[in-house]
Amino acid sequence: MSSERVWTGIEFAALAALAIGIIGCAVGSAGNAPAFYRGWLCAYIFWLGVPLGAVTLILVHDLTGGAWMASARPTLAAAATTMPVATLAGIPVLLGLRAVYPWPGASDLGNAWYLNTGFFVLRYAIDVVLWNGVAAYALWAPRGIALGVEPGLRWLSAIGLMLLAYTASFASIDWVLSLDPQFWSAVFPMITGAHWFNTGLALVLIVVAMQPASVLVRDHLGDLAAILFATVIFWAYVEFCQFLIVWEENLAHEIPWYLRRIAGAWQTVTWVIAVAGFFVPFALLLWRKRSRLVVITAGVLILASRLIESWWLVLPDLPQRPPFWLDLAAMLALGGLMLLLFLRRLRFGALALAGAGAT
């Protein structure tokens, strides 16, 4: 089967996912709007990692360099193109803020100055503007295929990285941690940041590994796999650090956050996330980083793990969880739209990148 037919089939699958997802969301929101908002939050948290991870890696390359960008540039550009869709996908959650979060209108919270609707919406608007501005810089600033920006512009890349780090940290607190206003963890923004970066990089690796085999792609694949290998270890490290600290402290306002996530069926989900998101990819990438089959397998497992983790982070804190089919419909609707945009840019934007030269 030709590569053209493979990509056409993937586009058709994305279009089918979008159609099924829209129908499911329409039916779900008509019958139970609060459940739709809650399910949509999980999809928003997961798919946000695609452009955030891609833009971060482009800016990191501006500062560090690396020959691997010659193979990764088209895929990273395609992923960064989805930033407007991914960021604006938070609007449906804003419409149902009171149905999702316990703090709107609450006056008995010590942090009510921070957790209030007006300030929340303002922070979201700032995130949308900054993230799309940084993504535009990552896409349109003059770069070669393999090289980053000129030395005189690297300070902009450094500022962009800092803006992404700070805003993503506060966004993780706003959208996920505030589901339980009594729980606090200084490590949590690093967990979510690693979650988003792993999501974006895993998708990029899968696409790069699907390119026609060549010595160049194989060498670059090993470099990219090494980056993913390191960040998967970091994700597991910060996840365990938070768990260990909270468990050892055993404070009444913190320990319930984990008790809800290791009770009943969630205990199995926790192990699935750990095995598929760390133990198996760690062993595979440690074994063979330049094997396309190994890298694709590891990437798929990491993507599946981060998707499940998005549900694991959100759903246990909700008093009334949406039905699973509505969660899945939201994932398909937003994911189908983003993948269609990603694939369009990947297939037809590569010509423009090639015109930039292979410097």
Side-chain angles (χ1 to χ4, degrees):
M1 183 180 294
S2 66
S3 60
E4 182 68 21
R5 291 183 62 184
V6 170
W7 289 114
T8 300
I10 294 175
E11 279 194 343
F12 180 78
L15 182 61
L18 174 62
I20 295 172
I22 289 176
I23 294 172
C25 288
V27 172
S29 60
N32 190 348
F36 163 73
Y37 298 136
R38 294 162 187 159
W40 189 264
L41 175 61
C42 300
Y44 175 59
I45 295 301
F46 173 72
W47 288 107
L48 197 57
V50 172
L52 283 179
V55 172
T56 299
L57 195 57
I58 291 173
L59 299 185
V60 167
H61 180 265
D62 286 344
L63 302 179
T64 64
W68 48 264
M69 184 55 81
S71 295
R73 175 78 71 192
T75 309
L76 288 171
T81 302
T82 65
M83 184 68 85
V85 173
T87 52
L88 294 176
I91 293 177
V93 182
L94 293 183
L95 298 176
L97 208 61
R98 291 181 177 272
V100 179
Y101 297 94
W103 46 261
S107 58
D108 58 342
L109 294 176
N111 54 358
W113 65 271
Y114 183 85
L115 288 180
N116 61 78
T117 302
F119 198 15
F120 185 95
V121 174
L122 176 61
R123 292 193 299 273
Y124 170 67
I126 292 172
D127 290 342
V128 171
V129 173
L130 286 179
W131 289 349
N132 281 280
V134 175
Y137 167 75
L139 285 170
W140 297 330
R143 292 176 176 84
I145 293 295
L147 297 180
V149 292
E150 297 177 359
L153 292 177
R154 287 177 186 169
W155 65 275
L156 284 175
S157 300
I159 291 176
L161 277 175
M162 289 189 291
L163 289 174
L164 285 179
Y166 280 107
T167 53
S169 296
F170 280 102
S172 70
I173 295 170
D174 288 346
W175 294 99
V176 183
L177 209 59
S178 71
L179 288 165
D180 182 354
Q182 304 302 323
F183 179 72
W184 170 251
S185 169
V187 183
F188 189 81
M190 288 186 281
I191 293 174
T192 313
H195 169 108
W196 283 331
F197 188 80
N198 287 170
T199 299
L201 182 53
L203 179 62
V204 168
L205 263 174
I206 291 170
V207 175
V208 171
M210 291 176 65
Q211 296 176 11
S214 68
V215 175
L216 186 65
V217 169
R218 189 163 57 249
D219 289 343
H220 295 170
L221 190 66
D223 295 336
L224 287 164
I227 298 174
L228 183 62
F229 180 71
T231 56
V232 164
I233 294 175
F234 177 75
W235 170 82
Y237 171 74
V238 291
E239 285 272 17
F240 181 74
C241 281
Q242 177 179 274
F243 173 79
L244 182 63
I245 293 170
V246 171
W247 200 259
E248 286 295 324
E249 289 179 337
N250 197 25
L251 299 177
H253 64 281
E254 290 184 350
I255 199 67
W257 195 87
Y258 272 109
L259 293 179
R260 289 191 294 269
R261 287 165 175 79
I262 58 174
W266 286 113
Q267 186 177 52
T268 302
V269 173
T270 302
W271 279 108
V272 169
I273 293 171
V275 172
F278 173 67
F279 289 110
V280 176
F282 176 86
L284 289 174
L285 295 175
L286 184 65
W287 173 43
R288 293 186 68 183
K289 294 185 183 71
R290 286 180 169 80
S291 167
R292 294 201 298 166
L293 179 59
V294 166
V295 169
I296 290 174
T297 302
V300 169
L301 287 173
I302 290 170
L303 277 180
S305 168
R306 301 304 178 262
L307 187 152
I308 297 171
E309 187 186 20
S310 300
W311 286 323
W312 184 85
L313 288 171
V314 173
L315 298 182
D317 285 328
L318 300 178
Q320 294 180 332
R321 300 168 192 166
F324 178 71
W325 66 267
L326 187 51
D327 291 332
L328 189 59
M331 278 294 176
L332 291 175
L334 181 55
L337 179 59
M338 288 188 59
L339 287 177
L340 281 176
L341 182 59
F342 170 80
L343 292 169
R344 290 280 96 183
R345 172 60 192 252
L346 186 64
R347 295 181 67 185
F348 301 109
L351 296 176
L353 283 173
T359 58

